[in-house]
Amino acid sequence: MFDRQAWMQDYRLLKRELEKRYSHLAWMASPGSGVNLPALDRQAQAMLARARDNAEARQAILYFQSGFRDGHFSSIKPATEPSSTAAEPPKRDLSRDNGLDGCASLGYVNGNGGAFSLPFETLPGVRLTADGLVLPMRSGIADLGAAGKLALLRIPSFNPRNYPQLCQQAWQAMLERGDRLDPDKLFTDIMRAWYRETAQRLRELRSAGARALIVDIGDNSGGNDSGDAMSRLLGNGSVHSAPLWLARSPQGEAYLRDWIENLSTGLPPEATAEDKAALQPFLDAFRAQTSQLRQAPPVDMSWVWREQRAFDPGAARSRLVQVAYASGAVDHLEPGRYSKIVSEALFWPAQSFGSQGAWQGPVYLLTNGRTYSAAEMFAAVSRDNRLAKTVGQRTGGDGCGFMGKMQPLVLPHSGLSFRIPDCVRLRADGSDEVAGIAPDLPVDDAPGESRRAMAQKTLMVIAADLAPLP
């Protein structure tokens, strides 16, 4: 049976929850976002008023959600509880596994393929140095003629679980050390190995005579915060991470509580008294922020459905609070400032220490409309720190998604379930990264143009941007 009022109640609940929880709401309500929320709301309500059945009402709410153009704010299938009558197989004993079996059982799989997002490997003058299968990440050298040689590196994913080769290596190293097989420790080892592998590949490409580098992150759906750390492999300058803002919500408070736990009871057993003393000022700061967040008065965000206002994350009307940085508690940290335990507790890119500055020279990041999330983080940090230029097309515009455990919203009548992002990363110009990263060197496909022609055109755009060799 079709119940219009119940659908309208679902829609009003969705809007109220966005007002409370959605971190990008103030940006979406600004003229700079390109989204007209008052118009979107009116259209969705009109669609619900005209709906003749459940299918049309459902379409109205999904139309409203899609109008935000935020891939992290998305409809999902509600989780289903396993049947109590179904027998659950026993857990696998990882201690009996070799790296091949163990990594597969933990879900490490090359699910993103090895090819470049544009078929550079099909062009004359391009030779591969790694296929992206035996070694993670495809790489090669392109001859640009008078402009010199261009190094090519493909990063298909910022999710370490998509690199089973590195998992198997880390697994074997753990066995050789006689360590107990710990999936969390294994994951950390894989992260460090990934930075080392990338740095080694970059050094080899440079030694092969490459004058400039293109890092292909087209069709890269993201992953984790390694997008921030990876930028530190480029160039010699100090790299500063984006300010991280959270919605003033229970999710924001939970994120701060996680910091407090990680910097106190969550430290490894080998943490010294000096380590704890170094962390104490940061621990005190997170406790103070938590107290302030609890005491902050509620913010009425219903204005977003009536008018557009300039984006100001520090204004009370934006319902945002800066808690840290995309890199952790600090936006920059020099190696050797603190112990390894303190560095990695405060600054997630510390896992890349020893791999920084592996590439020296011009860098171009290849992006397209399917470059999302952590890949956008990599592009934004690299671009805002003047480490690289972007070439290709504007990224998809997911921006920051979730810094804590994602709590989906399930609408009671329709059963529609939505992910609601809780964080914001700000660009150097003050904009929200969810807007996407515009290319410095646009390369658009012409009608009927082949992908090989697009690949060639991209190389020619880079060659023209590089000053001719003396």
Side-chain angles (χ1 to χ4, degrees):
M1 178 183 294
F2 175 56
D3 184 342
R4 189 188 314 278
Q5 287 305 312
W7 279 97
M8 292 296 293
Q9 289 173 6
D10 268 8
Y11 179 64
R12 287 192 289 269
L13 174 61
L14 174 57
K15 291 202 301 180
R16 287 197 302 270
E17 287 300 308
L18 290 176
E19 292 170 22
K20 294 176 183 177
R21 297 166 51 184
Y22 183 41
S23 53
H24 300 293
L25 189 58
W27 168 257
M28 294 298 178
S30 73
S33 72
V35 178
N36 188 327
L37 288 186
L40 181 64
D41 178 38
R42 289 193 299 270
Q43 180 63 23
Q45 292 196 59
M47 292 173 69
L48 283 170
R50 294 194 305 267
R52 295 166 294 181
D53 52 34
N54 289 327
E56 290 185 356
R58 175 187 176 91
Q59 187 59 38
I61 291 181
L62 293 179
Y63 166 83
F64 172 77
Q65 170 261 316
S66 65
F68 285 76
R69 302 198 295 270
D70 175 359
H72 283 130
F73 171 37
S74 59
S75 174
I76 58 175
K77 292 183 178 180
T80 57
E81 292 294 328
S83 171
S84 59
T85 60
E88 185 70 16
K91 290 186 177 180
R92 188 180 181 102
D93 184 358
L94 296 177
S95 67
R96 298 177 178 273
D97 280 334
N98 57 31
L100 181 63
D101 294 329
C103 290
S105 70
L106 290 175
Y108 287 84
V109 60
N110 186 358
N112 291 277
F116 295 111
S117 67
L118 289 175
F120 297 115
E121 53 270 85
T122 70
L123 301 179
V126 174
R127 61 179 180 84
L128 292 184
T129 57
D131 62 3
L133 298 173
V134 176
L135 291 176
M137 302 177 295
R138 180 163 291 197
S139 59
I141 298 286
D143 187 350
L144 300 184
K149 293 179 179 179
L150 176 70
L152 302 165
L153 178 68
R154 166 69 170 155
I155 301 182
S157 169
F158 284 95
N159 184 350
R161 293 190 181 277
N162 291 137
Y163 299 101
Q165 311 95 323
L166 296 177
C167 177
Q168 292 165 30
Q169 294 170 17
W171 189 288
Q172 183 61 32
M174 190 173 283
L175 290 178
E176 291 175 356
R177 292 194 305 267
D179 293 349
R180 182 178 63 86
L181 285 168
D182 180 339
D184 292 334
K185 175 66 165 58
L186 178 72
F187 185 85
T188 301
D189 288 351
I190 293 167
M191 291 286 292
R192 295 193 184 103
W194 186 34
Y195 298 131
R196 291 195 300 270
E197 168 70 22
T198 306
Q200 178 63 23
R201 195 77 61 80
L202 292 175
R203 295 185 187 106
E204 290 172 353
L205 290 168
R206 191 177 175 204
S207 297
R211 176 191 178 200
L213 167 71
I214 181 167
V215 182
D216 180 2
I217 53 172
D219 299 342
N220 185 318
S221 61
N224 63 11
D225 291 330
S226 57
D228 181 271
M230 192 64 77
S231 64
R232 288 162 167 82
L233 273 61
L234 310 176
N236 266 333
S238 296
V239 181
H240 293 267
S241 299
L244 179 70
W245 296 68
L246 296 184
R248 295 179 184 177
S249 66
Q251 288 74 24
E253 186 177 332
Y255 175 78
L256 291 172
R257 287 199 304 269
D258 285 344
W259 264 110
I260 293 169
E261 179 181 350
N262 292 338
L263 297 183
S264 55
T265 58
L267 293 176
E270 59 269 26
T272 66
E274 289 78 10
D275 292 334
K276 294 175 183 178
L279 291 171
Q280 191 62 48
F282 300 96
L283 183 57
D284 292 342
F286 281 119
R287 284 173 172 157
Q289 282 186 309
T290 304
S291 177
Q292 292 171 5
L293 193 61
R294 287 173 180 166
Q295 297 172 14
V299 178
D300 180 7
M301 292 289 291
S302 61
W303 62 268
V304 303
W305 317 118
R306 299 188 299 271
E307 59 182 306
Q308 292 184 307
R309 298 179 182 177
F311 180 59
D312 181 359
R317 68 170 185 268
S318 297
R319 200 214 49 231
L320 293 170
V321 57
Q322 184 180 352
V323 295
Y325 300 90
S327 51
V330 293
D331 69 335
H332 173 73
L333 188 64
E334 291 292 335
R337 171 75 183 278
Y338 297 112
S339 71
K340 180 174 178 290
I341 287 176
V342 173
S343 296
E344 294 193 358
L346 294 177
F347 187 64
W348 302 317
Q351 293 179 346
S352 68
F353 282 176
S355 299
Q356 314 98 307
W359 177 267
Q360 302 295 317
V363 180
Y364 299 87
L365 307 183
L366 176 61
T367 64
N368 61 22
R370 294 174 299 282
T371 301
Y372 291 113
S373 195
E376 291 179 294
M377 173 194 281
F378 174 60
V381 173
S382 300
R383 180 66 185 84
D384 289 349
N385 282 275
R386 302 182 183 276
L387 301 171
K389 293 181 180 180
T390 51
V391 59
Q393 300 160 0
R394 179 182 285 271
T395 64
D398 271 11
C400 196
F402 311 94
M403 293 307 297
K405 183 178 180 181
M406 192 272 293
Q407 299 289 343
L409 168 66
V410 181
L411 302 180
H413 174 70
S414 63
L416 287 170
S417 181
F418 296 96
R419 304 188 306 167
I420 300 180
D422 59 21
C423 58
V424 169
R425 290 191 296 264
L426 289 185
R427 299 287 309 282
D429 62 5
S431 64
D432 188 333
E433 192 184 295
V434 77
I437 316 301
D440 297 299
L441 304 173
V443 182
D444 294 316
D445 51 338
E449 188 173 33
S450 71
R451 287 173 54 77
R452 292 187 70 248
M454 271 287 289
Q456 182 66 33
K457 184 163 64 175
T458 300
L459 295 184
M460 292 303 98
V461 166
I462 292 173
D465 188 66
L466 289 166
L469 288 170

